[in-house]
Amino acid sequence: MESMTAQQLSKLNIKGIKIAQPYGILLGEPEKNAVIFIWGEKGAGKSTMSLGLADALAEHGRIEYIPAEEHFGKTLVDRVKRLGATHRNLNFTKWKSIQALKEILLKNRSFACILDSISVIDANAKETVELAQWCRENGIMFVMVSHATKDGQYKGNTSIAHECDIEIKVTKEGGAETEKNRYQELTAIAVPFTAADRNVSRKTKPAKQKAPANRENPVDTPFKITLKELDKLHKIRSWKRINSMFGSKMPCYAPKHSGESENAHLSIRYTADYPKKRYVLDLLLDGHLEYQACTEGKGGGLKACWKKLVSKYGDLEVRIFKQDHAKVVLGAKEYKRQERAFAKKDKKSFANEAPAPKAKQKPAGKDKPTPVTQPADTSTGEKPVTSDTDPAAETQQPIDIEAAKESQDKLDAFLTKILG
């Protein structure tokens, strides 16, 4: 049907497919002919994610999994065993060509095709998008896997991401997060790396499983850097560089923002009126304008605006709640330093927090007197003894022993006379 009225369209009932957990949490209920794009850094777990998803999709029909890079090698066999991806509808097919793949999909009436990875086609070529469109038109779900570049972006042109319905990024921390999803809000899960992980997810009811919403605060470590440090580290002179650090896909927050609200964010907006030579840079907190730097004329532009912002708000601390983004912004050295500091602090918090024993305080007015040496009895020849009667002993003058003996003799003579 080439055209359709609004009333006809409203009467359509297009149902999505249900996918086993935890993949269902991530994808929602996509259409049968959805296009899914999975990408991430080398060794992050893209193939593990795509194979587990393929086994889950096998509940709906035949799956053609094309391990274009690994072929039927040991790593693929080990992964199948580790994940328990042995559904009878999951089939592995060697890569030959796009035309050969189309013939296999039509011949086997395949439900879905997983191509790992699209580098075998050439990620920059239009053939990738054309293959995705062909699968969509023929009612076949198409899952394409791609590598990440050194700057942390997916390999290939933007037409690939535009064509897909769901874009999934797999991180080295073992997570999978949707950066685009036409069927539900953006969510994230931990990638199941073993059959046991998948079995736990199957037994857990989706209603009880809590998935992080909107990826506002996906990690525990709030990596920190000020605008001055940011400028010193990167020497920011282009709007593209600023946007890569404060863009919507890399959420950053000021200290007073916790990231709990969807709008709790720090963002920078640049507007250039080239004909009038007027340039404006806005600093927004929670979507509200906090500061505006404006430059004009020949000396104006982004560089001048950014300099004004750093001069005014250079000590503003930026918190980054995304680990892979933090590595790009902070650099590997500073990232590791902050991570170690956080781990050390975390370790101390779990240590024994019993309060140290308090020193015993002396009761008021009951200070122990300082012992004082008294003269010994010369008649017995005993050594001098100490007495606790005089607290000011240390300040007294030294005792005259001869005078004391003379006094004692007089006392003895007096007592003898009286008592005798």
PDB file of all heavy atoms in Angstrom, residues 231-249:
ATOM      1  N   ASP A 231      40.754  22.946  30.628  1.00  0.00           N
ATOM      2  CA  ASP A 231      41.352  23.820  29.619  1.00  0.00           C
ATOM      3  C   ASP A 231      42.859  23.586  29.516  1.00  0.00           C
ATOM      4  O   ASP A 231      43.431  23.557  28.427  1.00  0.00           O
ATOM      5  CB  ASP A 231      41.068  25.277  29.976  1.00  0.00           C
ATOM      6  CG  ASP A 231      41.578  26.239  28.913  1.00  0.00           C
ATOM      7  OD1 ASP A 231      41.154  26.096  27.754  1.00  0.00           O
ATOM      8  OD2 ASP A 231      42.388  27.116  29.236  1.00  0.00           O
ATOM      9  N   LYS A 232      43.498  23.414  30.668  1.00  0.00           N
ATOM     10  CA  LYS A 232      44.951  23.185  30.691  1.00  0.00           C
ATOM     11  C   LYS A 232      45.313  21.836  30.067  1.00  0.00           C
ATOM     12  O   LYS A 232      46.321  21.697  29.369  1.00  0.00           O
ATOM     13  CB  LYS A 232      45.446  23.235  32.137  1.00  0.00           C
ATOM     14  CG  LYS A 232      46.949  23.151  32.280  1.00  0.00           C
ATOM     15  CD  LYS A 232      47.337  23.267  33.749  1.00  0.00           C
ATOM     16  CE  LYS A 232      48.853  23.139  33.902  1.00  0.00           C
ATOM     17  NZ  LYS A 232      49.259  23.225  35.335  1.00  0.00           N
ATOM     18  N   LEU A 233      44.468  20.860  30.324  1.00  0.00           N
ATOM     19  CA  LEU A 233      44.729  19.510  29.826  1.00  0.00           C
ATOM     20  C   LEU A 233      44.534  19.395  28.319  1.00  0.00           C
ATOM     21  O   LEU A 233      45.320  18.757  27.617  1.00  0.00           O
ATOM     22  CB  LEU A 233      43.814  18.513  30.551  1.00  0.00           C
ATOM     23  CG  LEU A 233      43.972  17.038  30.207  1.00  0.00           C
ATOM     24  CD1 LEU A 233      45.344  16.543  30.634  1.00  0.00           C
ATOM     25  CD2 LEU A 233      42.898  16.212  30.896  1.00  0.00           C
ATOM     26  N   HIS A 234      43.477  20.031  27.802  1.00  0.00           N
ATOM     27  CA  HIS A 234      43.117  19.848  26.394  1.00  0.00           C
ATOM     28  C   HIS A 234      43.338  21.078  25.513  1.00  0.00           C
ATOM     29  O   HIS A 234      43.271  20.966  24.290  1.00  0.00           O
ATOM     30  CB  HIS A 234      41.645  19.428  26.292  1.00  0.00           C
ATOM     31  CG  HIS A 234      41.370  18.088  26.886  1.00  0.00           C
ATOM     32  ND1 HIS A 234      41.722  16.908  26.270  1.00  0.00           N
ATOM     33  CD2 HIS A 234      40.786  17.734  28.051  1.00  0.00           C
ATOM     34  CE1 HIS A 234      41.352  15.894  27.032  1.00  0.00           C
ATOM     35  NE2 HIS A 234      40.785  16.365  28.122  1.00  0.00           N
ATOM     36  N   LYS A 235      43.549  22.247  26.130  1.00  0.00           N
ATOM     37  CA  LYS A 235      43.702  23.484  25.358  1.00  0.00           C
ATOM     38  C   LYS A 235      42.545  23.627  24.363  1.00  0.00           C
ATOM     39  O   LYS A 235      42.736  23.659  23.154  1.00  0.00           O
ATOM     40  CB  LYS A 235      45.048  23.512  24.631  1.00  0.00           C
ATOM     41  CG  LYS A 235      46.228  23.552  25.585  1.00  0.00           C
ATOM     42  CD  LYS A 235      47.543  23.612  24.834  1.00  0.00           C
ATOM     43  CE  LYS A 235      48.720  23.652  25.799  1.00  0.00           C
ATOM     44  NZ  LYS A 235      50.023  23.665  25.105  1.00  0.00           N
ATOM     45  N   ILE A 236      41.361  23.675  24.907  1.00  0.00           N
ATOM     46  CA  ILE A 236      40.144  23.683  24.087  1.00  0.00           C
ATOM     47  C   ILE A 236      40.075  24.933  23.222  1.00  0.00           C
ATOM     48  O   ILE A 236      40.114  26.048  23.728  1.00  0.00           O
ATOM     49  CB  ILE A 236      38.895  23.594  24.972  1.00  0.00           C
ATOM     50  CG1 ILE A 236      38.905  22.266  25.728  1.00  0.00           C
ATOM     51  CG2 ILE A 236      37.621  23.729  24.149  1.00  0.00           C
ATOM     52  CD1 ILE A 236      37.809  22.136  26.729  1.00  0.00           C
ATOM     53  N   ARG A 237      39.954  24.717  21.936  1.00  0.00           N
ATOM     54  CA  ARG A 237      39.867  25.838  21.002  1.00  0.00           C
ATOM     55  C   ARG A 237      38.797  25.615  19.938  1.00  0.00           C
ATOM     56  O   ARG A 237      38.668  26.398  19.014  1.00  0.00           O
ATOM     57  CB  ARG A 237      41.229  26.060  20.311  1.00  0.00           C
ATOM     58  CG  ARG A 237      42.352  26.457  21.268  1.00  0.00           C
ATOM     59  CD  ARG A 237      42.075  27.800  21.918  1.00  0.00           C
ATOM     60  NE  ARG A 237      43.139  28.184  22.846  1.00  0.00           N
ATOM     61  CZ  ARG A 237      43.119  27.953  24.146  1.00  0.00           C
ATOM     62  NH1 ARG A 237      42.078  27.329  24.692  1.00  0.00           N
ATOM     63  NH2 ARG A 237      44.102  28.348  24.925  1.00  0.00           N
ATOM     64  N   SER A 238      38.025  24.528  20.067  1.00  0.00           N
ATOM     65  CA  SER A 238      36.998  24.254  19.063  1.00  0.00           C
ATOM     66  C   SER A 238      35.694  23.837  19.742  1.00  0.00           C
ATOM     67  O   SER A 238      35.704  23.209  20.814  1.00  0.00           O
ATOM     68  CB  SER A 238      37.456  23.148  18.103  1.00  0.00           C
ATOM     69  OG  SER A 238      37.504  21.895  18.760  1.00  0.00           O
ATOM     70  N   TRP A 239      34.584  24.190  19.122  1.00  0.00           N
ATOM     71  CA  TRP A 239      33.275  23.827  19.648  1.00  0.00           C
ATOM     72  C   TRP A 239      33.065  22.317  19.598  1.00  0.00           C
ATOM     73  O   TRP A 239      32.413  21.728  20.470  1.00  0.00           O
ATOM     74  CB  TRP A 239      32.195  24.554  18.864  1.00  0.00           C
ATOM     75  CG  TRP A 239      30.799  24.078  19.162  1.00  0.00           C
ATOM     76  CD1 TRP A 239      29.889  23.568  18.299  1.00  0.00           C
ATOM     77  CD2 TRP A 239      30.169  24.077  20.444  1.00  0.00           C
ATOM     78  NE1 TRP A 239      28.729  23.244  18.951  1.00  0.00           N
ATOM     79  CE2 TRP A 239      28.878  23.547  20.286  1.00  0.00           C
ATOM     80  CE3 TRP A 239      30.578  24.462  21.717  1.00  0.00           C
ATOM     81  CZ2 TRP A 239      28.000  23.400  21.335  1.00  0.00           C
ATOM     82  CZ3 TRP A 239      29.690  24.308  22.770  1.00  0.00           C
ATOM     83  CH2 TRP A 239      28.413  23.783  22.572  1.00  0.00           C
ATOM     84  N   LYS A 240      33.646  21.678  18.632  1.00  0.00           N
ATOM     85  CA  LYS A 240      33.517  20.222  18.506  1.00  0.00           C
ATOM     86  C   LYS A 240      34.114  19.534  19.730  1.00  0.00           C
ATOM     87  O   LYS A 240      33.565  18.561  20.243  1.00  0.00           O
ATOM     88  CB  LYS A 240      34.231  19.745  17.231  1.00  0.00           C
ATOM     89  CG  LYS A 240      34.079  18.267  16.965  1.00  0.00           C
ATOM     90  CD  LYS A 240      34.770  17.871  15.671  1.00  0.00           C
ATOM     91  CE  LYS A 240      34.622  16.375  15.403  1.00  0.00           C
ATOM     92  NZ  LYS A 240      35.332  15.967  14.160  1.00  0.00           N
ATOM     93  N   ARG A 241      35.244  20.058  20.208  1.00  0.00           N
ATOM     94  CA  ARG A 241      35.888  19.463  21.371  1.00  0.00           C
ATOM     95  C   ARG A 241      35.046  19.661  22.632  1.00  0.00           C
ATOM     96  O   ARG A 241      34.890  18.753  23.446  1.00  0.00           O
ATOM     97  CB  ARG A 241      37.275  20.104  21.558  1.00  0.00           C
ATOM     98  CG  ARG A 241      38.105  19.483  22.668  1.00  0.00           C
ATOM     99  CD  ARG A 241      38.368  18.027  22.377  1.00  0.00           C
ATOM    100  NE  ARG A 241      39.176  17.410  23.404  1.00  0.00           N
ATOM    101  CZ  ARG A 241      39.298  16.100  23.572  1.00  0.00           C
ATOM    102  NH1 ARG A 241      38.662  15.281  22.773  1.00  0.00           N
ATOM    103  NH2 ARG A 241      40.056  15.618  24.521  1.00  0.00           N
ATOM    104  N   ILE A 242      34.486  20.847  22.781  1.00  0.00           N
ATOM    105  CA  ILE A 242      33.630  21.126  23.946  1.00  0.00           C
ATOM    106  C   ILE A 242      32.399  20.230  23.917  1.00  0.00           C
ATOM    107  O   ILE A 242      32.006  19.648  24.932  1.00  0.00           O
ATOM    108  CB  ILE A 242      33.211  22.608  23.959  1.00  0.00           C
ATOM    109  CG1 ILE A 242      34.434  23.506  24.186  1.00  0.00           C
ATOM    110  CG2 ILE A 242      32.179  22.870  25.054  1.00  0.00           C
ATOM    111  CD1 ILE A 242      34.125  24.976  24.119  1.00  0.00           C
ATOM    112  N   ASN A 243      31.798  20.110  22.764  1.00  0.00           N
ATOM    113  CA  ASN A 243      30.584  19.307  22.628  1.00  0.00           C
ATOM    114  C   ASN A 243      30.843  17.837  22.921  1.00  0.00           C
ATOM    115  O   ASN A 243      29.973  17.133  23.435  1.00  0.00           O
ATOM    116  CB  ASN A 243      30.020  19.479  21.219  1.00  0.00           C
ATOM    117  CG  ASN A 243      28.564  19.057  21.134  1.00  0.00           C
ATOM    118  OD1 ASN A 243      27.813  19.253  22.075  1.00  0.00           O
ATOM    119  ND2 ASN A 243      28.172  18.479  20.027  1.00  0.00           N
ATOM    120  N   SER A 244      32.043  17.361  22.595  1.00  0.00           N
ATOM    121  CA  SER A 244      32.368  15.953  22.865  1.00  0.00           C
ATOM    122  C   SER A 244      32.499  15.680  24.357  1.00  0.00           C
ATOM    123  O   SER A 244      32.367  14.554  24.802  1.00  0.00           O
ATOM    124  CB  SER A 244      33.679  15.579  22.159  1.00  0.00           C
ATOM    125  OG  SER A 244      34.777  16.240  22.761  1.00  0.00           O
ATOM    126  N   MET A 245      32.773  16.740  25.133  1.00  0.00           N
ATOM    127  CA  MET A 245      32.924  16.569  26.581  1.00  0.00           C
ATOM    128  C   MET A 245      31.636  16.817  27.351  1.00  0.00           C
ATOM    129  O   MET A 245      31.413  16.219  28.399  1.00  0.00           O
ATOM    130  CB  MET A 245      34.007  17.522  27.095  1.00  0.00           C
ATOM    131  CG  MET A 245      35.382  17.169  26.595  1.00  0.00           C
ATOM    132  SD  MET A 245      36.624  18.297  27.236  1.00  0.00           S
ATOM    133  CE  MET A 245      38.090  17.549  26.531  1.00  0.00           C
ATOM    134  N   PHE A 246      30.785  17.711  26.847  1.00  0.00           N
ATOM    135  CA  PHE A 246      29.561  18.061  27.559  1.00  0.00           C
ATOM    136  C   PHE A 246      28.312  17.706  26.760  1.00  0.00           C
ATOM    137  O   PHE A 246      27.239  18.241  27.016  1.00  0.00           O
ATOM    138  CB  PHE A 246      29.545  19.557  27.878  1.00  0.00           C
ATOM    139  CG  PHE A 246      30.701  19.996  28.710  1.00  0.00           C
ATOM    140  CD1 PHE A 246      31.778  20.638  28.144  1.00  0.00           C
ATOM    141  CD2 PHE A 246      30.727  19.744  30.066  1.00  0.00           C
ATOM    142  CE1 PHE A 246      32.859  21.040  28.900  1.00  0.00           C
ATOM    143  CE2 PHE A 246      31.807  20.144  30.844  1.00  0.00           C
ATOM    144  CZ  PHE A 246      32.872  20.793  30.260  1.00  0.00           C
ATOM    145  N   GLY A 247      28.438  16.817  25.781  1.00  0.00           N
ATOM    146  CA  GLY A 247      27.298  16.441  24.955  1.00  0.00           C
ATOM    147  C   GLY A 247      26.295  15.605  25.725  1.00  0.00           C
ATOM    148  O   GLY A 247      26.551  15.144  26.828  1.00  0.00           O
ATOM    149  N   SER A 248      25.142  15.382  25.121  1.00  0.00           N
ATOM    150  CA  SER A 248      24.063  14.649  25.789  1.00  0.00           C
ATOM    151  C   SER A 248      24.414  13.190  26.058  1.00  0.00           C
ATOM    152  O   SER A 248      23.889  12.576  26.970  1.00  0.00           O
ATOM    153  CB  SER A 248      22.796  14.718  24.938  1.00  0.00           C
ATOM    154  OG  SER A 248      23.035  14.159  23.656  1.00  0.00           O
ATOM    155  N   LYS A 249      25.315  12.627  25.244  1.00  0.00           N
ATOM    156  CA  LYS A 249      25.669  11.215  25.438  1.00  0.00           C
ATOM    157  C   LYS A 249      26.738  11.036  26.506  1.00  0.00           C
ATOM    158  O   LYS A 249      27.036   9.942  26.914  1.00  0.00           O
ATOM    159  CB  LYS A 249      26.168  10.618  24.113  1.00  0.00           C
ATOM    160  CG  LYS A 249      25.071  10.455  23.081  1.00  0.00           C
ATOM    161  CD  LYS A 249      25.589   9.752  21.848  1.00  0.00           C
ATOM    162  CE  LYS A 249      24.485   9.568  20.817  1.00  0.00           C
ATOM    163  NZ  LYS A 249      24.973   8.877  19.609  1.00  0.00           N
TER     164      LYS A 249
END
